[in-house]
Amino acid sequence: MLGTIVNTACIAAGSLVGALVKKGLSEKYTRTLFNAMGLASLALGAATFTNNLPKSEYPVLFILSLAIGGVIGTALDLDGRVKRLVGKQTGEGLAKGLISACLLYCVGTFSIVGPVLSALNGDNTFLFTNSTLDLVTSMVFASTFGMGMILAAPVLFCWQGAIYLIAILFSSSPLLRGTLVNELSTVGGVLIISSGLSILDIKDCKTLNFLPALLVPVAWFLIKSLL
């Protein structure tokens, strides 16, 4: 869990620094940072997608995942429920920033593979690398959206902690040795791109409605392992 603890601390520290910087920024520079975060999300999402899709054994699985997950998420109105809940506590702008940050921090390859490697091999390299990236990213997010971005830190801790515990419980399962991580990262890359489009006000795809898409590859591999 050391890598996850360091990653969480880096996001918290970066958010504090970024919030201090925000106080001296005018609206013009804040808008520029919004655009920078949107473009960065598009670039990172595209990189995650293109790096993992060629490794997939089932190239169409991400399409099915998005379709099935999107229908489930829309039926449950996940995007609307979360935005209303977070928006009441923090404001609409910060809600958008938190949702985008949590997706960026949590569904990237490093944040999914890192806890698995840490649990199975005691290797925290991916998580330490992710910590460095998130330190810088959290500074920019907080300088754009404010101190409330620190709330993304406990979300990351719970996410990576859950993956870490699952990896320990299923350490002998072939699921963690196969392409499941690649499939999850491929879907995650699309979600990050969707988040970037929202930040740039190009298209609100209601990204959170697609979160159940991350469960479809897990269900597919579980069913496959039982056959």
Side-chain angles (χ1 to χ4, degrees):
M1 287 291 288
L2 176 61
T4 293
I5 293 172
V6 171
N7 202 164
T8 302
C10 283
I11 290 176
S15 298
L16 290 172
V17 173
L20 292 175
V21 173
K22 178 179 173 59
K23 294 180 179 180
L25 292 177
S26 66
E27 175 65 25
K28 176 176 65 175
Y29 295 108
T30 299
R31 186 66 256 175
T32 298
L33 289 174
F34 264 96
N35 291 336
M37 281 295 90
L39 291 171
S41 295
L42 291 178
L44 290 172
T48 300
F49 177 80
T50 56
N51 286 339
N52 287 281
L53 184 61
K55 304 173 187 176
S56 172
E57 294 181 1
Y58 311 98
V60 298
L61 181 57
F62 85 94
I63 300 175
L64 293 175
S65 298
L66 291 170
I68 297 172
V71 169
I72 294 173
T74 299
L76 297 174
D77 191 23
L78 293 180
D79 192 84
R81 291 174 185 271
V82 172
K83 284 181 178 177
R84 286 192 293 272
L85 176 63
V86 178
K88 286 180 180 178
Q89 305 297 324
T90 63
E92 185 176 345
L94 180 56
K96 180 188 290 187
L98 274 173
I99 291 169
S100 299
C102 288
L103 286 171
L104 196 60
Y105 297 151
C106 294
V107 300
T109 304
F110 285 159
S111 199
I112 295 175
V113 180
V116 174
L117 293 179
S118 179
L120 299 182
N121 307 323
D123 183 1
N124 288 304
T125 303
F126 271 31
L127 289 177
F128 289 154
T129 302
N130 200 50
S131 299
T132 304
L133 295 173
D134 288 348
L135 176 65
V136 177
T137 305
S138 61
M139 288 183 187
V140 180
F141 264 116
S143 66
T144 305
F145 296 100
M147 178 66 77
M149 293 305 298
I150 200 171
L151 295 175
V155 173
L156 175 98
F157 181 82
C158 292
W159 169 260
Q160 290 188 358
I163 295 176
Y164 182 90
L165 293 176
I166 291 172
I168 290 178
L169 291 174
F170 297 94
S171 58
S172 60
S173 172
L175 281 175
L176 297 178
R177 308 290 181 177
T179 64
L180 174 58
V181 171
N182 292 331
E183 307 299 342
L184 289 173
S185 297
T186 300
V187 175
V190 177
L191 297 185
I192 295 173
I193 291 174
S194 175
S195 178
L197 293 174
S198 177
I199 293 176
L200 292 170
D201 290 327
I202 295 175
K203 173 69 175 179
D204 183 4
C205 299
K206 300 187 182 301
T207 307
L208 291 184
N209 282 344
F210 289 94
L211 276 185
L214 292 170
L215 298 177
V216 176
V218 177
W220 167 262
F221 276 87
L222 282 173
I223 295 172
K224 184 172 178 290
S225 68
L226 295 175
L227 297 179

